[in-house]
């Protein structure tokens, strides 16, 4: 029996170079996409943190708005911050400095 040998086709150096260049371009493209994806995830994370902070601020402002319709709260603020008094009241202001040295 005769053995039939198949000749293997070898790639020319130019074909090998083209394959290496194509593989390198594909890898670079993939790395570029990974960087873009990382940047987008980071941007989303930052935006979610800002949104959370804004939601907290919104709740505080809503509470302040609700309190401003309450006459007792308005009186409390006027007396404490602006030293508004009722007729015949006297205001005594004490310093917060500790004089015990």
């Amino acid at each position: 029996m005769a053995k039939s040998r198949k000749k293997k086709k070898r790639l020319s150096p130019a074909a090998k170079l083209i394959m290496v260049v194509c593989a390198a371009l594909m890898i670079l493209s993939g790395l570029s996409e990974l960087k873009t994806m990382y940047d987008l995830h980071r941007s989303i994370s930052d935006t979610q943190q800002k949104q959370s902070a804004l939601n907290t601020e919104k709740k505080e402002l809503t509470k302040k708005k609700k309190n401003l319709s309450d006459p007792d709260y308005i009186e409390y603020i006027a007396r404490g911050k602006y030293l508004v008094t009722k007729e015949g009241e006297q205001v005594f202001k004490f310093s917060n400095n500790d004089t015990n040295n």
Side-chain angles (χ1 to χ4, degrees):
M1 286 204 172
K3 291 185 180 180
S4 62
R5 291 186 178 178
K6 291 185 179 179
K7 289 186 177 180
K8 291 185 180 179
K9 265 191 170 180
R10 292 196 161 194
L11 295 176
S12 68
K16 288 179 183 178
L17 179 65
I18 290 173
M19 288 179 65
V20 169
V21 169
C22 287
L25 289 175
M26 289 171 51
I27 290 171
L28 288 176
S29 175
L31 291 176
S32 174
E33 291 297 323
L34 283 174
K35 183 187 179 306
T36 302
M37 189 171 69
Y38 172 76
D39 291 342
L40 286 173
H41 281 292
R42 188 172 175 186
S43 175
I44 289 170
S45 175
D46 291 344
T47 304
Q48 286 174 341
Q49 288 175 350
K50 288 178 186 177
Q51 183 182 15
S52 176
L54 288 173
N55 283 338
T56 302
E57 183 180 357
K58 181 182 176 184
K59 287 178 184 178
E60 291 172 5
L61 290 173
T62 303
K63 184 178 179 180
K64 282 184 181 181
K65 180 181 173 185
K66 181 181 175 186
N67 285 339
L68 287 175
S69 64
D70 182 13
D72 293 332
Y73 180 77
I74 294 173
E75 181 181 349
Y76 169 77
I77 294 295
R79 287 173 165 271
K81 190 171 183 179
Y82 301 110
L83 301 177
V84 175
T85 62
K86 290 183 180 179
E87 185 79 28
E89 283 185 330
Q90 292 183 347
V91 177
F92 297 98
K93 193 170 185 179
F94 299 100
S95 65
N96 290 335
N97 296 338
D98 188 22
T99 57
N100 296 336
N101 289 328

